[in-house]
Structure formats: structure tokens, C-alpha cells
Amino acid sequence: MAKSVTLFNIFLVSPGDLIEEREMLAEVIDELNHTTANLLSIKLELIRWETNIFPSFGDDAQDVINKQIEDDYDVFIGIMGGRFGSPTNRFGSGTLEEFTRAYEKSKQDGGTTKIMMYFKNVSLSLNEIDIEQIKKIQDFKKGLGPQGGLYWDYNKAIDFKDLARNHLNLLLPKLVNEYRLIAAKPAPEKKKVEESEDIIVFGAEDIEEVEEIGYLDSLIVVNDYFTKIKDSAGRITIYMVDMSNKLGKGTEKISGIKHIPEQARIREARKIIDDTADDIMLFVKKTNVEIPKYRDAVTKGFNAYSNVYVNSRSFASNDEELLELEVSKNTLEESINFGLLSLASLKETVAELPAMTSKLAKAKKEYLKTIDKLISEFELSLKLLEDTNNKK
């Protein structure tokens, strides 16, 4: 059956030394169009000069790109490595010009346009180092903080691919919700440029919420969200333990009817199996209620965590406070790792169950879908924990 989808454009910008990352982002977009985007009834289109620009003339090459793109995008993804880029007739580089246009666009539309900036930690040989290019990159990075920006560093191209996938998975549901809210309201007046001061970066609304309350309060916020993540993971783990116990009892009951007459044994076995299917579906129902709560806590918790470290650089922060935050983060990581191990074990147990009744077959199918969603959520959390370690 045909369905209506909403198109979101993602504009990729970088100097010419990041070809591998550009190709990897194209792979991520294609992957998301078959997974998250498909589930959200949206389609992502990656806009980049390699595929969306045709030869033409203007003030310079960047002017040609500007005129053809016309700032028609919803998400701006910028990447910098060892090169700042070639100057245009208006800015120090094409990448800087495109970023500036995106920044102004985001201010004018009240943050509807999202900006995600990434910087590669490159290792260059002496004959490759261009001091002037490196200094321009460093100056640009330093300027993002005062503009309200949160950026992400990475080491290898494959790290960027994982980051882009994880961040877009977090961003897309928010993007869709914002679009639906805007579509449901009368068209608002555009903000004047001077009325908006914050650059909109990945997880924009949550970052703004945390920044407004300041550094000390945000320490409390991040610990609150980390507690919510741990509590949610704990509830899910309790559901899993309960499910495992019920599966064990079902197996014992099956073993206990081996010696009764065959027809009675078949009827009793079917009843036990269908009861097990009911237990599985109850687990699925409770867990699917918990997953959005877990995801929301993860999104806001890690945005708050990043905000703490961004703000801590602006003054002499208390190392003891940050150390306590690290302890909380490590405890959270242990909890998630335990849950992930339990998930893998329970998934294998249920996957091996023979489809003895149609009810069990259906329950097994729904169960495995739910387990895969949970594994994805937990793995994303661990990846974000790893990213925060690299970020500091």
C-alpha cells in the first residue's frame, strides 16, 4: 500500500581532504532510509556538490553552489580535518561561507534548521602541516562556543560514520515532531536575526534547555537523567529476569507431563506453551512502554553531559564535581553492559524455542523484534558513553 512520506534534505559540507567521510555519510543516509527514516515515514536526501551541482558560472565556484543549493535543507552537516579550505570572494573558505549561511538561516527560522559540526583529529607529517590552515581551524572551533555551538571530535573516518548514524538516529524523531508541530500551527512570523543568539546543534532544544539553567544546576540535571537511564535499564532487566524465570518454569512443566497419555499430554503441552506465549507478550508490552522513556532519558542525559563539559571549559570548574559525574557515568555504563549481556542470553533462549503453536510463533516474532530494539538502544548508549570519553 502506498504511503505518504516527508522529505528532509541534509546538506554535507567539507573541504576536499575528507572524501572518505563524505562517502560514508552517503552510506549512512541510505541505511537510515531503510530503517529509522522508513519507520518515521520520512525520506532523507543527501545534498552535496558531487551529486547535486551542475557546471555553471557565478562570482566564483562557491557562488555557483550557493545559487543551486539555495539553502534548501533541513540539516547542515559540516566536517573539518586538516584543511580549512580555499577562500572565496566573500569568506576565508567555502566551508566557512556555507556554515555562516546555515548559521544565519538557523537564527532566522528559530532553530528549525539543525547544524551538526564535526572535527577530525588528524595526524600529519611535517611536510603536510600547513600552520596557517591549522590555526584557522582552531580559531573557527574556538568561535563556536560563544555562538552557542556544541561540536564533536573524532579520530578515524569509521568513527565519524558511527557518530553520524547515532546522532541522526537521535535527531530524526525530534525533526519529525518539530515539523508536525509547525505544520499543525498557523505559519509563525520569522524571528529577526538579532532576536536569536544560539546556534542550533544536534539535539538543539535539549541543549538550550540545559544551557539556560547554568553549569551547577546542569550537574544536577545530568545526574538526574543518568539516574533515570539506570532506573529504566534496571526495570527492563527485571522484566528480563522475570521472563527468564517464566521460561524456565514452562520448560519444567513440559518435562512434568511426559508420562501422561498422549492426547492429554498434547492438550496440556499446548496450554503450557500458550501460557508461555502470553508471558512473552506481556514482556513485549511492558518493554515497549519503557523503551521511549529510556530513549528520552538517554537523549537529554547525554546532551546535558556534553553541556557540562562545554561550560566547564569557560571557568575553573570543581574537579571533585566532575569526578562524581564520572563515577555516575561509570555506574551507568556497568548497568547498561549488564543489561546488554542479559539481552543477548535471553534472545538466544527464545530464538531456540520451536514454534509449537501459532500463538507462540507470533509471540516469538514480536519478542525478537523488541529485543533487537533494546539491543540497539543499549548499544547506542554505550557508543555515546564512549564518545563522551573521547570528547573530553
Side-chain angles (χ1 to χ4, degrees):
M1 179 182 293
K3 67 177 181 179
S4 175
V5 298
T6 304
L7 178 67
F8 288 95
N9 292 327
I10 297 176
F11 185 28
L12 170 61
V13 172
S14 75
D17 59 332
L18 297 166
I19 296 174
E20 190 175 5
E21 281 86 342
R22 296 178 70 85
E23 293 303 317
M24 284 183 170
L25 184 60
E27 293 174 9
V28 168
I29 297 300
D30 183 62
E31 174 189 320
L32 291 173
N33 274 326
H34 289 87
T35 53
T36 306
N38 185 50
L39 291 171
L40 294 170
S41 295
I42 64 174
K43 181 181 179 182
L44 307 176
E45 181 174 345
L46 182 62
I47 300 175
R48 50 182 181 149
W49 69 264
E50 298 99 315
T51 56
N52 296 82
I53 302 299
F54 57 82
S56 186
F57 287 85
D59 291 342
D60 52 27
Q62 185 59 52
D63 183 54
V64 172
I65 294 175
N66 294 343
K67 288 177 178 176
Q68 292 186 30
I69 297 298
E70 293 183 335
D71 296 338
D72 184 20
Y73 52 84
D74 305 283
V75 180
F76 174 97
I77 296 182
I79 324 171
M80 283 189 179
R83 291 187 62 242
F84 188 66
S86 302
T88 70
N89 292 338
R90 295 156 301 280
F91 288 86
S93 77
T95 302
L96 176 60
E97 180 167 347
E98 288 164 327
F99 168 83
T100 303
R101 290 171 66 93
Y103 180 41
E104 293 302 320
K105 180 175 185 286
S106 180
K107 290 201 297 183
Q108 290 176 7
D109 63 25
T112 301
T113 300
K114 309 303 179 188
I115 299 177
M116 303 165 69
M117 284 300 306
Y118 297 87
F119 293 89
K120 185 175 186 178
N121 299 318
V122 294
S123 298
L124 301 175
S125 60
L126 287 176
N127 62 334
E128 292 177 317
I129 295 176
D130 186 327
I131 299 298
E132 184 178 353
Q133 290 277 310
I134 298 298
K135 185 178 184 306
K136 287 180 179 178
I137 294 171
Q138 291 175 342
D139 289 344
F140 176 66
K141 287 178 70 174
K142 289 177 183 177
L144 291 179
Q147 291 175 293
L150 171 67
Y151 57 82
W152 225 265
D153 294 318
Y154 68 97
N155 296 319
K156 299 178 182 178
I158 190 63
D159 297 332
F160 167 75
K161 184 176 183 179
D162 291 338
L163 282 171
R165 180 191 298 112
N166 293 340
H167 290 167
L168 285 170
N169 267 316
L170 289 173
L171 176 61
L172 291 180
K174 298 175 179 296
L175 206 60
V176 171
N177 287 338
E178 284 185 11
Y179 172 81
R180 288 172 179 165
L181 287 172
I182 292 171
K185 295 179 180 178
E189 293 184 10
K190 286 190 174 182
K191 284 188 176 181
K192 296 178 182 178
V193 174
E194 61 268 23
E195 289 180 347
S196 177
E197 298 178 352
D198 292 334
I199 182 173
I200 306 301
V201 191
F202 148 70
E205 61 274 27
D206 296 316
I207 292 173
E208 288 178 357
E209 176 187 340
V210 176
E211 287 181 342
E212 289 175 358
I213 63 174
Y215 171 75
L216 293 177
D217 288 333
S218 66
L219 281 169
I220 298 173
V221 170
V222 72
N223 275 304
D224 285 347
Y225 278 122
F226 276 12
T227 298
K228 288 180 180 179
I229 297 170
K230 188 171 66 174
D231 289 348
S232 184
R235 285 192 294 271
I236 292 170
T237 301
I238 290 172
Y239 299 159
M240 288 190 289
V241 171
D242 182 56
M243 184 72 256
S244 181
N245 290 336
K246 288 178 177 177
L247 288 173
K249 290 179 180 178
T251 302
E252 290 177 5
K253 288 179 180 178
I254 293 290
S255 298
I257 61 172
K258 287 182 178 179
H259 304 296
I260 67 176
E262 182 177 356
Q263 287 188 349
R265 185 170 70 247
I266 292 173
R267 285 194 298 271
E268 187 61 24
R270 181 174 182 176
K271 181 179 181 303
I272 294 171
I273 291 169
D274 283 350
D275 286 346
T276 300
D278 288 337
D279 291 334
I280 292 173
M281 289 305 296
L282 180 60
F283 169 84
V284 168
K285 182 179 179 180
K286 290 191 297 184
T287 303
N288 280 328
V289 168
E290 194 65 44
I291 287 176
K293 299 177 184 177
Y294 178 85
R295 185 186 299 120
D296 181 69
V298 167
T299 301
K300 293 178 179 177
F302 282 102
N303 280 337
Y305 182 89
S306 297
N307 184 72
V308 167
Y309 275 91
V310 169
N311 285 340
S312 70
R313 298 187 187 117
S314 63
F315 60 92
S317 55
N318 189 324
D319 289 340
E320 185 176 345
E321 293 164 349
L322 296 181
L323 181 60
E324 290 177 0
L325 186 58
E326 287 302 296
V327 171
S328 177
K329 182 171 73 70
N330 292 336
T331 302
L332 173 62
E333 186 172 7
E334 291 175 3
S335 176
I336 295 172
N337 270 315
F338 177 76
L340 197 56
L341 287 172
S342 301
L343 277 171
S345 174
L346 199 52
K347 179 181 179 180
E348 183 178 354
T349 299
V350 175
E352 291 175 351
L353 290 176
M356 300 296 289
T357 70
S358 58
K359 193 172 184 179
L360 180 61
K362 180 180 178 181
K364 179 179 172 181
K365 181 179 178 181
E366 293 301 315
Y367 175 89
L368 293 176
K369 282 166 55 179
T370 300
I371 289 294
D372 284 339
K373 282 196 292 185
L374 269 177
I375 290 174
S376 177
E377 294 289 343
F378 282 11
E379 287 179 341
L380 174 58
S381 301
L382 292 176
K383 179 60 181 174
L384 289 173
L385 282 164
E386 180 184 345
D387 290 344
T388 57
N389 289 331
N390 295 333
K391 180 69 179 167
K392 290 181 293 182

